[in-house]
Amino acid sequence: MSSIFDRTRTPEQRRQAVSNLFDFVVKGGMADTTRMPSEVIDEGHKSTVHRYLPVNGPLSGDPVLFVPPLGSQAACFDLRRGCSLAEYLLTNGRRTYLVDYGEMRLSDRDLGIEFWVSEVVPNAIRKVSQDAGGAPVNLVGWCLGGLLALLTTAAYPDLPVKSVIMVASPFDLSKHRLVAPLRSAGRYTGGRIIGSFLKVLGGLPSQIVGPAFKATSLTTYLKKPVTLVRHRDDRDFLAQVEAVDGLMNSMLAYPGRATLQVYQRLVQRNELAEGRIQGSTRVIDLATVRVPVMNVAGTRDVLVPVDVAHHVGDLLPNSPEVRLETAAGGHLGVLTGGSAPRTTWPMIDDFLAEHSG
């Protein structure tokens, strides 16, 4: 459309546009965010493992386990009907599972990254493999979820892991120009100012996580009113915007210890760029990973630019394959944006087809 107020629009297009905008602005109910049906196969502290139910016939192949990042609802893998990675894999007949951490509270402030790497993710992998008759598990993680999946695989080589698929997972933050000020401030202050701030807060409250995430796409949010008008007759586009807004407005808190570790180890010291990071009792070395790995980076991702994500290609000397892909979209868009069903998801499905039974 060449203009917001295109005079060539038909009466039916105008009627549809008015109806869409009314539903979007007033009713707020265009997106079908009903979650894909699932059943719980295991529950533990900050860990509920779901098995998704079939949608159009029996499921087969090695199971897929979604590993969410901290701070985000597990619904990132199941955004809405018609734009859900879970729905896509299930429709393709893949056995699909999810580990959900639930909400983080002040009482969880002492939980560090090692809690997920040594307890939550390994337990979920074992439960999924057991539920799938002993089959090895393909891990799919977004952002920090991808790091949790890969670090768990490196820390416990005996786990039944078949492959690790990451979307927008960061590995070398020295290549990130927006992180440079934080790294410089940390060098001059020894990380004390930000570290003390995080300790006082006990982590990052959800009231900060959501707006901070939106700030990484500030231009998009500033243009949102005009964008909505331009696409006022595109009901699917408006439903996608509504679903993304819902996810952004329901971001979860980060536990204090985990937040401090992300800042000190990944941002300030950039440990992961060398392929080694200090665990709770030992150093975790990515050189121990001996399964196929993929990382898909978003071409418009401000939070995790392509070169920050693709640095993992230099860190896995013993992996039989390290596939580095790019797809259109920002940090969330590359996972579940409007073009993801035609780009990122087929990449994931193809990788699974090549490396899964």
Side-chain angles (χ1 to χ4, degrees):
M1 188 189 310
S2 60
S3 169
I4 295 178
F5 304 104
D6 191 345
R7 298 179 183 277
T8 65
R9 298 166 64 82
T10 66
E12 175 58 26
Q13 286 176 316
R14 296 175 186 275
R15 185 203 66 76
Q16 185 63 54
V18 171
S19 175
N20 288 346
L21 288 178
F22 178 82
D23 288 346
F24 182 87
V25 176
V26 179
K27 295 177 64 176
M30 296 185 66
D32 181 0
T33 56
T34 305
R35 299 294 160 234
M36 295 299 294
S38 67
E39 54 190 11
V40 174
I41 64 169
D42 184 69
E43 288 187 276
H45 183 45
K46 298 301 169 189
S47 173
T48 302
V49 182
H50 297 259
R51 179 207 301 125
Y52 287 105
L53 302 180
V55 294
N56 59 359
L59 303 177
S60 61
D62 294 330
V64 176
L65 172 62
F66 291 141
V67 183
L70 303 179
S72 172
Q73 295 277 359
C76 60
F77 297 110
D78 188 22
L79 186 66
R80 66 179 178 92
R81 298 287 63 74
C83 196
S84 160
L85 177 55
E87 182 180 32
Y88 178 86
L89 293 181
L90 290 166
T91 301
N92 286 353
R94 298 201 177 278
R95 292 188 285 185
T96 308
Y97 297 76
L98 165 74
V99 56
D100 189 350
Y101 316 137
E103 293 188 13
M104 298 296 162
R105 298 179 172 83
L106 188 59
S107 58
D108 301 315
R109 61 185 179 276
D110 293 329
L111 295 179
I113 297 297
E114 66 276 1
F115 171 69
W116 278 267
V117 171
S118 64
E119 295 187 37
V120 174
V121 180
N123 176 73
I125 293 170
R126 295 187 186 100
K127 293 298 182 181
V128 168
S129 177
Q130 179 182 0
D131 188 75
V137 181
N138 298 285
L139 306 179
V140 177
W142 172 51
C143 189
L144 184 60
L147 296 187
L148 296 177
L150 192 63
L151 290 173
T152 299
T153 303
Y156 302 99
D158 293 336
L159 282 172
V161 174
K162 189 67 174 287
S163 70
V164 178
I165 298 173
M166 300 175 288
V167 179
S169 296
F171 286 89
D172 186 1
L173 291 175
S174 70
K175 299 177 179 178
H176 198 320
R177 59 184 180 84
L178 296 181
V179 175
L182 285 176
R183 289 170 55 81
S184 298
R187 284 195 296 268
Y188 284 114
T189 66
R192 290 186 296 273
I193 295 178
I194 296 179
S196 299
F197 173 73
L198 293 175
K199 288 178 181 179
V200 169
L201 287 181
L204 285 181
S206 57
Q207 294 87 345
I208 294 179
V209 175
F213 200 100
K214 290 180 181 179
T216 64
S217 302
L218 184 59
T219 302
T220 300
Y221 276 91
L222 291 176
K223 293 180 179 179
K224 182 178 174 181
V226 174
T227 301
L228 293 179
V229 174
R230 286 187 182 278
H231 295 272
R232 59 193 183 275
D233 58 351
D234 188 339
R235 194 171 185 86
D236 190 68
F237 179 89
L238 296 177
Q240 179 73 6
V241 172
E242 178 191 315
V244 169
D245 280 351
L247 184 66
M248 292 294 98
N249 293 332
S250 62
M251 298 295 276
L252 305 174
Y254 269 79
R257 179 175 171 80
T259 308
L260 193 60
Q261 289 172 331
V262 169
Y263 167 64
Q264 291 178 336
R265 298 182 182 182
L266 301 187
V267 176
Q268 188 178 340
R269 297 199 293 267
N270 200 28
E271 290 182 16
L272 208 52
E274 301 298 325
R276 294 160 59 89
I277 191 168
Q278 179 63 51
S280 56
T281 59
R282 58 191 173 93
V283 173
I284 299 175
D285 192 339
L286 296 186
T288 62
V289 173
R290 299 181 182 275
V291 300
V293 174
M294 180 169 74
N295 198 2
V296 184
T299 56
R300 298 192 303 274
D301 192 341
V302 176
L303 196 59
V304 182
V306 173
D307 54 350
V308 173
H310 283 181
H311 182 72
V312 69
D314 299 329
L315 307 177
L316 302 169
N318 295 310
S319 171
E321 179 184 5
V322 182
R323 188 177 302 183
L324 306 176
E325 299 280 7
T326 57
H331 193 58
L332 177 62
V334 69
L335 173 72
T336 188
S339 63
R342 302 184 303 276
T343 56
T344 305
W345 299 356
M347 291 177 188
I348 293 174
D349 195 55
D350 289 345
F351 194 78
L352 290 170
E354 291 180 25
H355 300 291
S356 178

